[in-house]
Amino acid sequence: MTETITNVLQQQLDKRYGPDAPVAGDAANPTLEVLLRHRTARNYLPATVSETELQLIIAAAQSASTSANFQFTSVVVIDDPEVRTRLSELAGGQRLVLDASVFLVWIADWSRNIELARANGHTIEATSYLDSALSSIIDVTLSAQNAAIAAESLGYGITFVGALRNNIDAVIDLLHLPEWTFPVYGMAIGLPDPTDPADIKPRYGQNVVVHRNTYTPPTEAAVTDYLTRINTYYREQELPEDWVKNRLAGRISTKESLHGRQHIRTTFHNQGFDLK
Amino acid sequence: MTETITNVLQQQLDKRYGPDAPVAGDAANPTLEVLLRHRTARNYLPATVSETELQLIIAAAQSASTSANFQFTSVVVIDDPEVRTRLSELAGGQRLVLDASVFLVWIADWSRNIELARANGHTIEATSYLDSALSSIIDVTLSAQNAAIAAESLGYGITFVGALRNNIDAVIDLLHLPEWTFPVYGMAIGLPDPTDPADIKPRYGQNVVVHRNTYTPPTEAAVTDYLTRINTYYREQELPEDWVKNRLAGRISTKESLHGRQHIRTTFHNQGFDLK
């Protein structure tokens, strides 16, 4: 691979892992560079994703693995400004829902398969079980991540918007989602503002997340090393330090920290999923 | 982009969509070619994924979006032949678990975050809710798909092995998975046997999966067009035709078609997840 790609990939690895980063060397390639490049894009310039680009992004999504070819993915493209405004409100007033060139809502969709099975005289029982709902959510997530990589390969930035689940019933109403469908998250796609300081964010060392044959909890030293690296990142970004106190605790301590998502079980039931 | 990449991408699009395929033109790039290239790889040649390649595959996984930087992904690398043999049995006797160069088990892992929060004196309540389990499964799936794309960019093939959930309690025992972790699926990675006839599989037309602002069920014509294309594919592959009758019905009609996965709710509870 060219020296440039190798160098860029190595810089990305160094930002993710610090001094213990893997060395890419000859294994570097342009796709690895796209995969490692990812950072959150919350501020967009007013550039337009073309229809052809959007079709390729969707084609990439549909090319992901899908359990038994069930193709559980549906995606709603939101280009009506009024729908964008409402979705932005429902997602806690997030400006990026308005500013992105493309805003997608990813749907775990059992309805097509159920319709086909019924039309051909088959009974429907497996869909009442938790695993069936999970399979469809896994499926749409494989697709959505392919879409993210496709968009990033075209020079755009993306952000997942899980906060759509804060007010999921209103999202279902707004998009007229039928029984046996479930909106999992939104995705903003647009041209990132280069003045946005968000950079490649440090992640846990591989010694924390990778296990061999059996699970081994991370050492205290490995966790401390990470907390030092992520807090240094926040300080350099002029963001509040202390990831545990200022971020983790606020999302884990109380059910109210779920901002409405503590009720999604009821929504699954209303949409047809018994989650037995 | 070079004419070669454009031509290869267009051939891939034509295989996915038939005569109504999008036209890539100038938007083609090497990453889109990797994303569209995906096909199931079930037969592997005895080639070895190097340690550097595996580190880059994991680095790609860790570079995916992660909800609030929670980094729910853990991955168990299975290189002990006895553990491989047992996992193959637990996944319904799948040979590819044995033959792949690398076999990974992807874990939705809340344990690190809970440990950190508790060690810093915070209460834990949000994790009792369904949304918290889903967030972690979405997170690990974004990571796993990045790993898949990284492996495919390096010339390998991959297959997700959801059948690990058929006997999930035995998998948890075998890998010593602690409370607040959940094995979601396996992944085989290896050099695909070029004599394997598996090709790029047709998918629904974009007019079936893409909706504008509100959800619209697909037309009968669009569904029929797809069933014709997928059944032609199976015929050409000398596989049983009729996707609805021979595949869909067998996975949807009865709870027994879940092959043990109808019990995963109990496993979630045993692992600490109340799924309220």
Side-chain angles (χ1 to χ4, degrees), chain A residues 197-219:
Chain A
D199 201 354
I200 290 177
K201 202 177 279 173
R203 299 284 201 234
Y204 277 123
Q206 296 200 359
N207 57 348
V208 172
V209 304
V210 178
H211 311 258
R212 294 267 168 183
N213 299 301
T214 51
Y215 188 99
T216 319
T219 63

Side-chain angles (χ1 to χ4, degrees), chain A residues 70 122 126, chain B residues 243-254 256-259:
Chain A
F70 272 17
H122 301 291
Chain B
W243 177 70
V244 175
K245 188 176 146 200
N246 288 311
R247 288 172 181 77
L248 178 61
R251 287 279 298 266
I252 201 172
S253 300
T254 66
E256 288 72 24
S257 61
L258 290 167
H259 298 289

Side-chain angles (χ1 to χ4, degrees), chain B residues 85-199:
Chain B
T85 302
R86 184 74 185 117
L87 279 181
S88 168
E89 291 163 5
L90 294 173
Q94 291 195 53
R95 187 110 222 121
L96 62 80
V97 181
L98 305 175
D99 292 347
S101 170
V102 168
F103 192 79
L104 305 176
V105 180
W106 293 91
I107 315 289
D109 189 347
W110 261 105
S111 71
R112 285 189 298 261
N113 289 316
I114 288 177
E115 198 64 44
L116 267 175
R118 280 186 179 147
N120 287 273
H122 302 290
T123 56
I124 308 294
E125 190 183 48
T127 49
S128 302
Y129 288 82
L130 175 60
D131 195 79
S132 295
L134 286 190
S135 285
S136 65
I137 289 168
I138 291 167
D139 232 63
V140 71
T141 302
L142 299 174
S143 285
Q145 182 59 13
N146 259 16
I149 299 303
E152 291 177 330
S153 83
L154 291 163
Y156 299 110
I158 70 104
T159 295
F160 280 93
V161 181
L164 281 192
R165 298 201 300 279
N166 295 2
N167 290 291
I168 196 160
D169 295 331
V171 171
I172 288 170
D173 281 351
L174 184 67
L175 308 186
H176 302 183
L177 298 180
E179 204 184 10
W180 295 114
T181 65
F182 194 88
V184 188
Y185 34 69
M187 181 187 283
I189 307 176
L191 194 64
D193 183 343
T195 67
D196 186 332
D199 201 355

Side-chain angles (χ1 to χ4, degrees), chain A residues 62 109 125 203 215 255, chain B residues 62 109 125 203 215 255:
Chain A
Q62 291 189 264
D109 190 347
E125 190 182 49
R203 299 284 201 234
Y215 188 99
K255 68 176 180 225
Chain B
Q62 291 188 263
D109 189 347
E125 190 183 48
R203 299 283 200 235
Y215 188 99
K255 68 176 180 225

Side-chain angles (χ1 to χ4, degrees), chain A residues 13-212:
Chain A
L13 288 162
D14 294 346
K15 286 184 179 179
R16 289 275 179 232
Y17 294 112
D20 296 330
V23 176
D26 289 346
N29 70 44
T31 299
L32 290 171
E33 190 277 314
V34 172
L35 290 162
L36 268 285
R37 182 200 298 171
H38 174 73
R39 66 200 76 183
T40 299
R42 295 195 173 277
N43 298 298
Y44 299 105
L45 298 181
T48 302
V49 177
S50 74
E51 273 302 310
T52 295
E53 288 173 328
L54 182 56
Q55 286 174 357
L56 294 174
I57 289 167
I58 302 290
Q62 291 189 264
S63 298
S65 300
T66 161
S67 179
N69 198 37
F70 272 17
Q71 301 180 71
F72 291 110
T73 297
S74 272
V75 59
V76 188
V77 181
I78 312 295
D79 52 18
D80 180 326
E82 285 182 28
V83 183
R84 286 267 193 123
T85 302
R86 184 77 185 115
L87 280 180
S88 168
E89 291 163 5
L90 294 173
Q94 290 195 52
R95 182 118 217 119
L96 62 81
V97 181
L98 305 176
D99 292 347
S101 171
V102 168
F103 192 78
L104 306 175
V105 179
W106 293 91
I107 315 288
D109 190 347
W110 260 104
S111 71
R112 285 190 297 262
N113 289 316
I114 288 177
E115 198 64 43
L116 266 174
R118 281 189 179 144
N120 287 273
H122 301 291
T123 55
I124 307 296
E125 190 182 49
T127 50
S128 303
Y129 288 82
L130 174 62
D131 195 79
S132 295
L134 286 190
S135 285
S136 64
I137 289 167
I138 291 166
D139 232 64
V140 71
T141 303
L142 298 174
S143 285
Q145 183 58 13
N146 260 16
I149 299 305
E152 291 176 332
S153 83
L154 291 163
Y156 299 110
I158 68 105
T159 295
F160 280 92
V161 181
L164 281 191
R165 298 202 299 280
N166 295 2
N167 289 292
I168 195 160
D169 295 330
V171 171
I172 287 170
D173 281 350
L174 183 67
L175 308 186
H176 302 183
L177 297 180
E179 204 183 11
W180 294 114
T181 64
F182 194 88
V184 188
Y185 34 69
M187 180 187 283
I189 307 176
L191 194 63
D193 183 342
T195 66
D196 186 332
D199 201 354
I200 290 177
K201 202 177 279 173
R203 299 284 201 234
Y204 277 123
Q206 296 200 359
N207 57 348
V208 172
V209 304
V210 178
H211 311 258
R212 294 267 168 183

Side-chain angles (χ1 to χ4, degrees), chain A residues 201-204 208-209 226 230 234 243-253 257-258 261, chain B residues 62 64-74 108-114 116-117 126-127 131-133 135-136 139-140 143:
Chain A
K201 202 177 279 173
R203 299 284 201 234
Y204 277 123
V208 172
V209 304
Y226 177 66
I230 188 67
Y234 286 128
W243 177 70
V244 176
K245 189 175 144 201
N246 287 312
R247 288 171 182 78
L248 177 61
R251 288 277 298 265
I252 202 172
S253 300
S257 62
L258 290 167
R261 297 188 215 175
Chain B
Q62 291 188 263
S65 300
T66 162
S67 180
N69 198 37
F70 272 18
Q71 302 180 71
F72 292 110
T73 297
S74 272
D109 189 347
W110 261 105
S111 71
R112 285 189 298 261
N113 289 316
I114 288 177
L116 267 175
T127 49
D131 195 79
S132 295
S135 285
S136 65
D139 232 63
V140 71
S143 285

